[in-house]
PDB file of all heavy atoms in Angstrom:
ATOM      1  N   ARG A 129       8.279 -62.677  -6.624  1.00  0.00           N
ATOM      2  CA  ARG A 129       7.176 -63.374  -7.281  1.00  0.00           C
ATOM      3  C   ARG A 129       7.016 -62.860  -8.732  1.00  0.00           C
ATOM      4  O   ARG A 129       7.502 -61.781  -9.046  1.00  0.00           O
ATOM      5  CB  ARG A 129       5.887 -63.211  -6.498  1.00  0.00           C
ATOM      6  CG  ARG A 129       5.504 -61.769  -6.259  1.00  0.00           C
ATOM      7  CD  ARG A 129       4.322 -61.679  -5.276  1.00  0.00           C
ATOM      8  NE  ARG A 129       4.062 -60.294  -4.879  1.00  0.00           N
ATOM      9  CZ  ARG A 129       3.397 -59.424  -5.589  1.00  0.00           C
ATOM     10  NH1 ARG A 129       2.902 -59.759  -6.809  1.00  0.00           N
ATOM     11  NH2 ARG A 129       3.180 -58.191  -5.159  1.00  0.00           N
ATOM     12  N   PRO A 130       6.311 -63.630  -9.581  1.00  0.00           N
ATOM     13  CA  PRO A 130       6.237 -63.254 -10.996  1.00  0.00           C
ATOM     14  C   PRO A 130       5.759 -61.842 -11.240  1.00  0.00           C
ATOM     15  O   PRO A 130       6.323 -61.176 -12.090  1.00  0.00           O
ATOM     16  CB  PRO A 130       5.258 -64.313 -11.568  1.00  0.00           C
ATOM     17  CG  PRO A 130       5.424 -65.496 -10.662  1.00  0.00           C
ATOM     18  CD  PRO A 130       5.682 -64.941  -9.283  1.00  0.00           C
ATOM     19  N   GLN A 131       4.721 -61.395 -10.580  1.00  0.00           N
ATOM     20  CA  GLN A 131       4.262 -60.044 -10.739  1.00  0.00           C
ATOM     21  C   GLN A 131       4.699 -59.243  -9.538  1.00  0.00           C
ATOM     22  O   GLN A 131       4.233 -59.451  -8.433  1.00  0.00           O
ATOM     23  CB  GLN A 131       2.718 -60.010 -10.833  1.00  0.00           C
ATOM     24  CG  GLN A 131       2.159 -60.849 -11.987  1.00  0.00           C
ATOM     25  CD  GLN A 131       2.615 -60.335 -13.352  1.00  0.00           C
ATOM     26  OE1 GLN A 131       2.746 -59.119 -13.566  1.00  0.00           O
ATOM     27  NE2 GLN A 131       2.919 -61.254 -14.273  1.00  0.00           N
ATOM     28  N   ASN A 132       5.614 -58.303  -9.751  1.00  0.00           N
ATOM     29  CA  ASN A 132       6.116 -57.488  -8.633  1.00  0.00           C
ATOM     30  C   ASN A 132       6.455 -56.059  -9.102  1.00  0.00           C
ATOM     31  O   ASN A 132       6.543 -55.805 -10.327  1.00  0.00           O
ATOM     32  CB  ASN A 132       7.349 -58.171  -7.999  1.00  0.00           C
ATOM     33  CG  ASN A 132       8.516 -58.231  -8.964  1.00  0.00           C
ATOM     34  OD1 ASN A 132       9.283 -57.290  -9.110  1.00  0.00           O
ATOM     35  ND2 ASN A 132       8.707 -59.400  -9.607  1.00  0.00           N
ATOM     36  N   PHE A 133       6.640 -55.192  -8.138  1.00  0.00           N
ATOM     37  CA  PHE A 133       6.869 -53.797  -8.447  1.00  0.00           C
ATOM     38  C   PHE A 133       8.155 -53.619  -9.233  1.00  0.00           C
ATOM     39  O   PHE A 133       8.203 -52.823 -10.206  1.00  0.00           O
ATOM     40  CB  PHE A 133       6.937 -52.956  -7.182  1.00  0.00           C
ATOM     41  CG  PHE A 133       7.544 -51.609  -7.392  1.00  0.00           C
ATOM     42  CD1 PHE A 133       6.855 -50.600  -8.047  1.00  0.00           C
ATOM     43  CD2 PHE A 133       8.862 -51.364  -6.968  1.00  0.00           C
ATOM     44  CE1 PHE A 133       7.438 -49.383  -8.261  1.00  0.00           C
ATOM     45  CE2 PHE A 133       9.454 -50.108  -7.174  1.00  0.00           C
ATOM     46  CZ  PHE A 133       8.720 -49.122  -7.843  1.00  0.00           C
ATOM     47  N   PHE A 134       9.228 -54.350  -8.885  1.00  0.00           N
ATOM     48  CA  PHE A 134      10.503 -54.080  -9.486  1.00  0.00           C
ATOM     49  C   PHE A 134      10.528 -54.424 -10.977  1.00  0.00           C
ATOM     50  O   PHE A 134      11.062 -53.680 -11.801  1.00  0.00           O
ATOM     51  CB  PHE A 134      11.603 -54.893  -8.785  1.00  0.00           C
ATOM     52  CG  PHE A 134      11.814 -54.423  -7.357  1.00  0.00           C
ATOM     53  CD1 PHE A 134      11.356 -55.186  -6.289  1.00  0.00           C
ATOM     54  CD2 PHE A 134      12.419 -53.213  -7.098  1.00  0.00           C
ATOM     55  CE1 PHE A 134      11.520 -54.733  -4.985  1.00  0.00           C
ATOM     56  CE2 PHE A 134      12.615 -52.765  -5.802  1.00  0.00           C
ATOM     57  CZ  PHE A 134      12.167 -53.524  -4.722  1.00  0.00           C
ATOM     58  N   THR A 135       9.916 -55.529 -11.380  1.00  0.00           N
ATOM     59  CA  THR A 135       9.878 -55.847 -12.790  1.00  0.00           C
ATOM     60  C   THR A 135       9.034 -54.826 -13.555  1.00  0.00           C
ATOM     61  O   THR A 135       9.409 -54.409 -14.668  1.00  0.00           O
ATOM     62  CB  THR A 135       9.337 -57.267 -13.029  1.00  0.00           C
ATOM     63  OG1 THR A 135       8.033 -57.381 -12.438  1.00  0.00           O
ATOM     64  CG2 THR A 135      10.232 -58.327 -12.492  1.00  0.00           C
ATOM     65  N   ALA A 136       7.935 -54.382 -12.957  1.00  0.00           N
ATOM     66  CA  ALA A 136       7.105 -53.366 -13.619  1.00  0.00           C
ATOM     67  C   ALA A 136       7.838 -52.080 -13.778  1.00  0.00           C
ATOM     68  O   ALA A 136       7.817 -51.426 -14.815  1.00  0.00           O
ATOM     69  CB  ALA A 136       5.792 -53.169 -12.814  1.00  0.00           C
ATOM     70  N   TYR A 137       8.549 -51.656 -12.688  1.00  0.00           N
ATOM     71  CA  TYR A 137       9.253 -50.371 -12.725  1.00  0.00           C
ATOM     72  C   TYR A 137      10.405 -50.429 -13.741  1.00  0.00           C
ATOM     73  O   TYR A 137      10.618 -49.487 -14.521  1.00  0.00           O
ATOM     74  CB  TYR A 137       9.791 -50.066 -11.327  1.00  0.00           C
ATOM     75  CG  TYR A 137      10.465 -48.729 -11.192  1.00  0.00           C
ATOM     76  CD1 TYR A 137       9.832 -47.574 -11.656  1.00  0.00           C
ATOM     77  CD2 TYR A 137      11.703 -48.610 -10.607  1.00  0.00           C
ATOM     78  CE1 TYR A 137      10.405 -46.322 -11.510  1.00  0.00           C
ATOM     79  CE2 TYR A 137      12.300 -47.337 -10.442  1.00  0.00           C
ATOM     80  CZ  TYR A 137      11.659 -46.213 -10.913  1.00  0.00           C
ATOM     81  OH  TYR A 137      12.227 -44.996 -10.766  1.00  0.00           O
ATOM     82  N   VAL A 138      11.108 -51.533 -13.757  1.00  0.00           N
ATOM     83  CA  VAL A 138      12.219 -51.669 -14.714  1.00  0.00           C
ATOM     84  C   VAL A 138      11.679 -51.724 -16.154  1.00  0.00           C
ATOM     85  O   VAL A 138      12.301 -51.149 -17.070  1.00  0.00           O
ATOM     86  CB  VAL A 138      13.110 -52.911 -14.391  1.00  0.00           C
ATOM     87  CG1 VAL A 138      14.114 -53.122 -15.508  1.00  0.00           C
ATOM     88  CG2 VAL A 138      13.808 -52.703 -13.072  1.00  0.00           C
ATOM     89  N   ASP A 139      10.556 -52.373 -16.367  1.00  0.00           N
ATOM     90  CA  ASP A 139       9.945 -52.374 -17.694  1.00  0.00           C
ATOM     91  C   ASP A 139       9.678 -50.928 -18.154  1.00  0.00           C
ATOM     92  O   ASP A 139       9.938 -50.566 -19.297  1.00  0.00           O
ATOM     93  CB  ASP A 139       8.631 -53.180 -17.679  1.00  0.00           C
ATOM     94  CG  ASP A 139       8.847 -54.643 -17.819  1.00  0.00           C
ATOM     95  OD1 ASP A 139       9.923 -55.066 -18.272  1.00  0.00           O
ATOM     96  OD2 ASP A 139       7.912 -55.409 -17.486  1.00  0.00           O
ATOM     97  N   PHE A 140       9.111 -50.125 -17.250  1.00  0.00           N
ATOM     98  CA  PHE A 140       8.831 -48.732 -17.604  1.00  0.00           C
ATOM     99  C   PHE A 140      10.147 -48.005 -17.918  1.00  0.00           C
ATOM    100  O   PHE A 140      10.210 -47.260 -18.955  1.00  0.00           O
ATOM    101  CB  PHE A 140       8.133 -48.015 -16.473  1.00  0.00           C
ATOM    102  CG  PHE A 140       7.939 -46.566 -16.753  1.00  0.00           C
ATOM    103  CD1 PHE A 140       6.909 -46.114 -17.559  1.00  0.00           C
ATOM    104  CD2 PHE A 140       8.763 -45.631 -16.168  1.00  0.00           C
ATOM    105  CE1 PHE A 140       6.774 -44.771 -17.817  1.00  0.00           C
ATOM    106  CE2 PHE A 140       8.629 -44.264 -16.420  1.00  0.00           C
ATOM    107  CZ  PHE A 140       7.618 -43.843 -17.262  1.00  0.00           C
ATOM    108  N   LEU A 141      11.177 -48.193 -17.103  1.00  0.00           N
ATOM    109  CA  LEU A 141      12.443 -47.497 -17.365  1.00  0.00           C
ATOM    110  C   LEU A 141      13.073 -47.982 -18.652  1.00  0.00           C
ATOM    111  O   LEU A 141      13.683 -47.198 -19.387  1.00  0.00           O
ATOM    112  CB  LEU A 141      13.400 -47.754 -16.191  1.00  0.00           C
ATOM    113  CG  LEU A 141      12.997 -47.110 -14.844  1.00  0.00           C
ATOM    114  CD1 LEU A 141      14.000 -47.512 -13.762  1.00  0.00           C
ATOM    115  CD2 LEU A 141      12.885 -45.589 -14.949  1.00  0.00           C
ATOM    116  N   LEU A 142      12.945 -49.262 -18.965  1.00  0.00           N
ATOM    117  CA  LEU A 142      13.430 -49.776 -20.237  1.00  0.00           C
ATOM    118  C   LEU A 142      12.711 -49.103 -21.409  1.00  0.00           C
ATOM    119  O   LEU A 142      13.337 -48.689 -22.407  1.00  0.00           O
ATOM    120  CB  LEU A 142      13.232 -51.300 -20.309  1.00  0.00           C
ATOM    121  CG  LEU A 142      14.367 -52.167 -19.814  1.00  0.00           C
ATOM    122  CD1 LEU A 142      13.874 -53.603 -19.690  1.00  0.00           C
ATOM    123  CD2 LEU A 142      15.590 -52.111 -20.732  1.00  0.00           C
ATOM    124  N   GLY A 143      11.408 -48.983 -21.270  1.00  0.00           N
ATOM    125  CA  GLY A 143      10.635 -48.274 -22.283  1.00  0.00           C
ATOM    126  C   GLY A 143      11.092 -46.858 -22.470  1.00  0.00           C
ATOM    127  O   GLY A 143      11.241 -46.368 -23.606  1.00  0.00           O
ATOM    128  N   HIS A 144      11.340 -46.182 -21.363  1.00  0.00           N
ATOM    129  CA  HIS A 144      11.831 -44.798 -21.445  1.00  0.00           C
ATOM    130  C   HIS A 144      13.194 -44.717 -22.118  1.00  0.00           C
ATOM    131  O   HIS A 144      13.415 -43.789 -22.927  1.00  0.00           O
ATOM    132  CB  HIS A 144      11.908 -44.222 -20.007  1.00  0.00           C
ATOM    133  CG  HIS A 144      11.937 -42.722 -19.985  1.00  0.00           C
ATOM    134  ND1 HIS A 144      13.068 -41.976 -20.184  1.00  0.00           N
ATOM    135  CD2 HIS A 144      10.933 -41.825 -19.734  1.00  0.00           C
ATOM    136  CE1 HIS A 144      12.792 -40.695 -20.093  1.00  0.00           C
ATOM    137  NE2 HIS A 144      11.504 -40.553 -19.825  1.00  0.00           N
ATOM    138  N   ALA A 145      14.074 -45.626 -21.804  1.00  0.00           N
ATOM    139  CA  ALA A 145      15.394 -45.682 -22.444  1.00  0.00           C
ATOM    140  C   ALA A 145      15.272 -45.941 -23.938  1.00  0.00           C
ATOM    141  O   ALA A 145      15.965 -45.314 -24.759  1.00  0.00           O
ATOM    142  CB  ALA A 145      16.271 -46.738 -21.787  1.00  0.00           C
ATOM    143  N   TYR A 146      14.367 -46.842 -24.318  1.00  0.00           N
ATOM    144  CA  TYR A 146      14.181 -47.104 -25.752  1.00  0.00           C
ATOM    145  C   TYR A 146      13.576 -45.862 -26.449  1.00  0.00           C
ATOM    146  O   TYR A 146      13.928 -45.601 -27.589  1.00  0.00           O
ATOM    147  CB  TYR A 146      13.244 -48.324 -25.931  1.00  0.00           C
ATOM    148  CG  TYR A 146      13.954 -49.634 -25.851  1.00  0.00           C
ATOM    149  CD1 TYR A 146      13.635 -50.558 -24.845  1.00  0.00           C
ATOM    150  CD2 TYR A 146      14.920 -50.006 -26.793  1.00  0.00           C
ATOM    151  CE1 TYR A 146      14.309 -51.783 -24.777  1.00  0.00           C
ATOM    152  CE2 TYR A 146      15.578 -51.228 -26.711  1.00  0.00           C
ATOM    153  CZ  TYR A 146      15.284 -52.112 -25.704  1.00  0.00           C
ATOM    154  OH  TYR A 146      15.903 -53.318 -25.625  1.00  0.00           O
ATOM    155  N   TRP A 147      12.720 -45.149 -25.763  1.00  0.00           N
ATOM    156  CA  TRP A 147      12.175 -43.923 -26.300  1.00  0.00           C
ATOM    157  C   TRP A 147      13.307 -42.923 -26.612  1.00  0.00           C
ATOM    158  O   TRP A 147      13.403 -42.396 -27.711  1.00  0.00           O
ATOM    159  CB  TRP A 147      11.150 -43.331 -25.331  1.00  0.00           C
ATOM    160  CG  TRP A 147      10.648 -41.971 -25.675  1.00  0.00           C
ATOM    161  CD1 TRP A 147      10.579 -41.360 -26.888  1.00  0.00           C
ATOM    162  CD2 TRP A 147      10.105 -41.022 -24.736  1.00  0.00           C
ATOM    163  NE1 TRP A 147      10.044 -40.103 -26.798  1.00  0.00           N
ATOM    164  CE2 TRP A 147       9.727 -39.864 -25.461  1.00  0.00           C
ATOM    165  CE3 TRP A 147       9.885 -41.025 -23.356  1.00  0.00           C
ATOM    166  CZ2 TRP A 147       9.162 -38.744 -24.894  1.00  0.00           C
ATOM    167  CZ3 TRP A 147       9.324 -39.900 -22.757  1.00  0.00           C
ATOM    168  CH2 TRP A 147       8.959 -38.791 -23.501  1.00  0.00           C
ATOM    169  N   GLU A 148      14.143 -42.713 -25.617  1.00  0.00           N
ATOM    170  CA  GLU A 148      15.231 -41.758 -25.773  1.00  0.00           C
ATOM    171  C   GLU A 148      16.241 -42.203 -26.850  1.00  0.00           C
ATOM    172  O   GLU A 148      16.888 -41.379 -27.511  1.00  0.00           O
ATOM    173  CB  GLU A 148      15.961 -41.541 -24.460  1.00  0.00           C
ATOM    174  CG  GLU A 148      15.096 -40.821 -23.407  1.00  0.00           C
ATOM    175  CD  GLU A 148      15.864 -40.475 -22.147  1.00  0.00           C
ATOM    176  OE1 GLU A 148      17.026 -40.919 -22.035  1.00  0.00           O
ATOM    177  OE2 GLU A 148      15.315 -39.734 -21.322  1.00  0.00           O
ATOM    178  N   SER A 149      16.333 -43.516 -27.051  1.00  0.00           N
ATOM    179  CA  SER A 149      17.282 -44.039 -28.052  1.00  0.00           C
ATOM    180  C   SER A 149      16.727 -44.089 -29.436  1.00  0.00           C
ATOM    181  O   SER A 149      17.400 -44.455 -30.374  1.00  0.00           O
ATOM    182  CB  SER A 149      17.761 -45.421 -27.615  1.00  0.00           C
ATOM    183  OG  SER A 149      16.717 -46.384 -27.717  1.00  0.00           O
ATOM    184  N   GLY A 150      15.416 -43.723 -29.575  1.00  0.00           N
ATOM    185  CA  GLY A 150      14.848 -43.663 -30.903  1.00  0.00           C
ATOM    186  C   GLY A 150      14.081 -44.896 -31.354  1.00  0.00           C
ATOM    187  O   GLY A 150      13.937 -45.160 -32.538  1.00  0.00           O
ATOM    188  N   ASN A 151      13.550 -45.709 -30.384  1.00  0.00           N
ATOM    189  CA  ASN A 151      12.771 -46.901 -30.725  1.00  0.00           C
ATOM    190  C   ASN A 151      11.382 -46.772 -30.109  1.00  0.00           C
ATOM    191  O   ASN A 151      11.093 -47.388 -29.087  1.00  0.00           O
ATOM    192  CB  ASN A 151      13.501 -48.144 -30.203  1.00  0.00           C
ATOM    193  CG  ASN A 151      12.869 -49.432 -30.711  1.00  0.00           C
ATOM    194  OD1 ASN A 151      11.695 -49.458 -31.082  1.00  0.00           O
ATOM    195  ND2 ASN A 151      13.655 -50.480 -30.752  1.00  0.00           N
ATOM    196  N   PRO A 152      10.486 -45.948 -30.675  1.00  0.00           N
ATOM    197  CA  PRO A 152       9.202 -45.672 -30.053  1.00  0.00           C
ATOM    198  C   PRO A 152       8.274 -46.852 -29.957  1.00  0.00           C
ATOM    199  O   PRO A 152       7.459 -46.933 -29.034  1.00  0.00           O
ATOM    200  CB  PRO A 152       8.616 -44.536 -30.951  1.00  0.00           C
ATOM    201  CG  PRO A 152       9.284 -44.701 -32.258  1.00  0.00           C
ATOM    202  CD  PRO A 152      10.668 -45.206 -31.936  1.00  0.00           C
ATOM    203  N   GLU A 153       8.368 -47.787 -30.904  1.00  0.00           N
ATOM    204  CA  GLU A 153       7.424 -48.911 -30.879  1.00  0.00           C
ATOM    205  C   GLU A 153       7.697 -49.828 -29.670  1.00  0.00           C
ATOM    206  O   GLU A 153       6.766 -50.185 -28.958  1.00  0.00           O
ATOM    207  CB  GLU A 153       7.525 -49.713 -32.180  1.00  0.00           C
ATOM    208  CG  GLU A 153       7.033 -48.909 -33.389  1.00  0.00           C
ATOM    209  CD  GLU A 153       5.623 -48.356 -33.174  1.00  0.00           C
ATOM    210  OE1 GLU A 153       4.764 -49.081 -32.640  1.00  0.00           O
ATOM    211  OE2 GLU A 153       5.393 -47.196 -33.532  1.00  0.00           O
ATOM    212  N   LEU A 154       8.955 -50.182 -29.476  1.00  0.00           N
ATOM    213  CA  LEU A 154       9.302 -50.987 -28.310  1.00  0.00           C
ATOM    214  C   LEU A 154       9.113 -50.202 -27.047  1.00  0.00           C
ATOM    215  O   LEU A 154       8.631 -50.758 -26.014  1.00  0.00           O
ATOM    216  CB  LEU A 154      10.763 -51.437 -28.422  1.00  0.00           C
ATOM    217  CG  LEU A 154      11.216 -52.508 -27.418  1.00  0.00           C
ATOM    218  CD1 LEU A 154      10.285 -53.705 -27.422  1.00  0.00           C
ATOM    219  CD2 LEU A 154      12.649 -52.958 -27.753  1.00  0.00           C
ATOM    220  N   ALA A 155       9.355 -48.890 -27.061  1.00  0.00           N
ATOM    221  CA  ALA A 155       9.119 -48.035 -25.913  1.00  0.00           C
ATOM    222  C   ALA A 155       7.669 -48.051 -25.489  1.00  0.00           C
ATOM    223  O   ALA A 155       7.329 -48.194 -24.313  1.00  0.00           O
ATOM    224  CB  ALA A 155       9.576 -46.603 -26.186  1.00  0.00           C
TER     225      ALA A 155
END
Side-chain angles (χ1 to χ4, degrees):
R129 56 188 172 80
Q131 302 298 322
N132 64 82
F133 164 74
F134 294 106
T135 55
Y137 186 49
V138 172
D139 278 341
F140 175 79
L141 294 176
L142 270 168
H144 199 279
Y146 277 117
W147 172 25
E148 293 187 351
S149 69
N151 190 335
E153 293 307 317
L154 191 52

